[in-house]
């Protein structure tokens, strides 16, 4: 894992990790070492695995990305919904990545709520609105540009001829966009919060943040998982007013997995137009 000191408190936290496991294998997965803070400026899910991973400790098992289908789970931490020092390099890396991830799971809002402008909760809601609007529009634009570039590379590598099947022609548009899943802000369990946080974080504010997010995400193809309802039903199970370990976290994880498995990947507008042209 990569330890970092993110804003605003600059306390050491796990900033990134990457876990990989062969699909359809009983071989245990491995955490991939992230050795450099430079990985903060790359999409973690696109960091290259070594061609050959070292032997599984204590078991003498090894596997490589070359001969295994890999499931790769990557995590990146940032504090605020729009954080230019993090987001701009990360999105730039995404635009130039050799391939797009299959799924991106996103969530933010708690730190925006805890540290609003001028410590004013109402200003926090408005700032979150602006930040999420900026982030979502920048993400969708980056994915669209990356998909077009990757699709162009595929077309250049495989010229179209008169014998090319129609289905293959359609697949040579922009690369499909990843499934995008947004986890809503969980309900704050106010009685579990330390006193100093109670004027800044409430379940009612969580609900307001989620209304803002729902309005922004509407018609974007981003699937929203309702974390709020799950946590609001069990405030007594929060450990600190914000986090819900144990069975609540497992329930949320199952909801996210369900969203990933059932959500239909949206088609990029550019891809749709190209498909219509190819069918004429």
């Amino acid at each position: 894992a990569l330890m970092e000191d993110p804003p605003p408190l600059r306390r050491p936290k796990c900033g990134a990790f990457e876990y990989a496991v062969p699909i359809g294998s009983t071989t245990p997965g491995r955490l991939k070492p992230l050795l450099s803070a430079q990985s903060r400026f790359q999409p973690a899910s696109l960091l290259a695995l070594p061609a050959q991973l070292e032997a599984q400790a204590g078991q003498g098992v090894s596997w490589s990305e070359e001969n295994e289908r890999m499931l790769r789970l990557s995590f990146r931490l940032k504090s605020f919904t729009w954080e230019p020092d993090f987001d701009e390099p990360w999105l730039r890396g995404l635009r130039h990545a050799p391939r797009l991830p299959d799924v991106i799971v996103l969530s933010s809002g708690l730190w925006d709520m805890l540290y609003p402008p001028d410590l004013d909760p109402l200003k926090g809601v408005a700032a979150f609105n602006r930040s999420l609007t900026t982030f979502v529009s920048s993400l969708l634009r980056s994915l669209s540009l990356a998909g077009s570039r990757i699709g162009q590379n595929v077309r250049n590598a495989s010229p179209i001829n008169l014998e090319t099947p129609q289905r293959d022609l359609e697949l040579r548009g922009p690369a499909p966009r990843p499934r995008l899943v947004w986890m809503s802000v969980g309900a704050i369990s106010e009685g579990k919060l330390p006193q100093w946080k109670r004027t800044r974080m409430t379940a009612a504010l969580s609900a307001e943040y989620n209304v803002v997010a729902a309005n922004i995400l509407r018609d974007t193809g981003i699937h929203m998982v309702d974390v709020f309802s799950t946590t609001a039903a069990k405030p007594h199970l929060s450990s600190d007013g914000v986090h819900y370990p144990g069975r609540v976290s497992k329930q949320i994880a199952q909801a996210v997995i369900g969203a990933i498995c059932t959500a239909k990947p949206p088609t990029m507008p550019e891809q749709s137009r190209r498909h219509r042209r190819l069918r004429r």
Side-chain angles (χ1 to χ4, degrees):
L2 180 69
M3 299 303 294
E4 296 179 319
D5 51 353
L9 301 181
R10 300 297 180 183
R11 293 185 303 192
K13 290 190 174 186
C14 176
F17 67 78
E18 188 163 88
Y19 180 83
V21 63
I23 296 174
S25 169
T26 58
T27 303
R30 295 294 309 275
L31 280 174
K32 180 201 168 188
L34 301 177
L35 302 178
S36 170
Q38 285 302 109
S39 62
R40 175 179 173 82
F41 302 124
Q42 302 175 42
S45 58
L46 305 175
L47 295 173
L49 282 170
Q52 182 71 41
L53 295 177
E54 62 181 346
Q56 182 76 14
Q59 300 183 42
V61 178
S62 64
W63 34 265
S64 73
E65 195 174 15
E66 295 178 356
N67 55 25
E68 298 277 7
R69 294 180 62 225
M70 306 297 297
L71 174 65
R72 190 182 305 172
L73 171 66
S74 303
F75 167 79
R76 290 301 285 119
L77 172 72
K78 67 168 186 168
S79 301
F80 298 103
T81 302
W82 178 247
E83 196 175 318
D85 288 345
F86 179 99
D87 290 311
E88 290 173 354
W90 188 84
L91 291 168
R92 186 163 54 248
L94 191 64
R95 289 194 294 273
H96 295 284
R99 59 156 291 179
L100 291 173
D102 297 306
V103 180
I104 302 177
V105 179
L106 305 157
S107 187
S108 66
L110 286 173
W111 283 89
D112 303 76
M113 188 189 306
L114 182 57
Y115 294 101
D118 301 325
L119 301 182
D120 183 332
L122 293 179
K123 290 183 180 179
V125 175
F128 176 70
N129 191 344
R130 293 190 298 270
S131 294
L132 186 57
T133 298
T134 300
F135 176 79
V136 169
S137 62
S138 300
L139 174 64
L140 296 182
R141 181 173 181 273
S142 295
L143 290 174
S144 179
L145 291 172
S148 297
R149 178 184 53 76
I150 294 169
Q152 183 64 49
N153 290 343
V154 172
R155 291 193 296 277
N156 291 342
S158 304
I160 294 174
N161 57 59
L162 295 177
E163 303 300 321
T164 303
Q166 178 69 23
R167 183 181 63 84
D168 290 344
L169 285 174
E170 293 178 358
L171 292 175
R172 292 185 183 184
R177 198 181 84 181
R179 288 176 170 87
L180 300 176
V181 176
W182 178 268
M183 296 170 58
S184 71
V185 175
I188 302 299
S189 179
E190 297 162 40
K192 296 290 187 76
L193 288 175
Q195 194 65 41
W196 71 272
K197 291 184 179 180
R198 295 184 185 183
T199 58
R200 305 185 199 176
M201 306 184 82
T202 65
L205 270 176
S206 294
E208 284 193 51
Y209 274 64
N210 290 329
V211 169
V212 168
N215 289 334
I216 293 171
L217 300 181
R218 185 178 296 117
D219 301 326
T220 63
I222 300 176
H223 184 90
M224 193 168 185
V225 174
D226 183 8
V227 175
F228 180 88
S229 295
T230 302
T231 50
K234 300 178 177 68
H236 58 288
L237 295 181
S238 175
S239 58
D240 56 6
V242 175
H243 299 98
Y244 289 79
R247 67 176 186 263
V248 177
S249 286
K250 290 180 181 178
Q251 186 177 347
I252 293 168
Q254 287 300 318
V256 172
I257 292 170
I260 291 170
C261 293
T262 60
K264 182 180 178 181
T267 301
M268 293 183 181
E270 295 84 355
Q271 189 172 4
S272 298
R273 288 196 294 271
R274 177 173 175 78
H275 285 191
R276 287 196 294 271
R277 288 197 300 270
L278 287 170
R279 291 192 180 102
R280 288 185 184 131

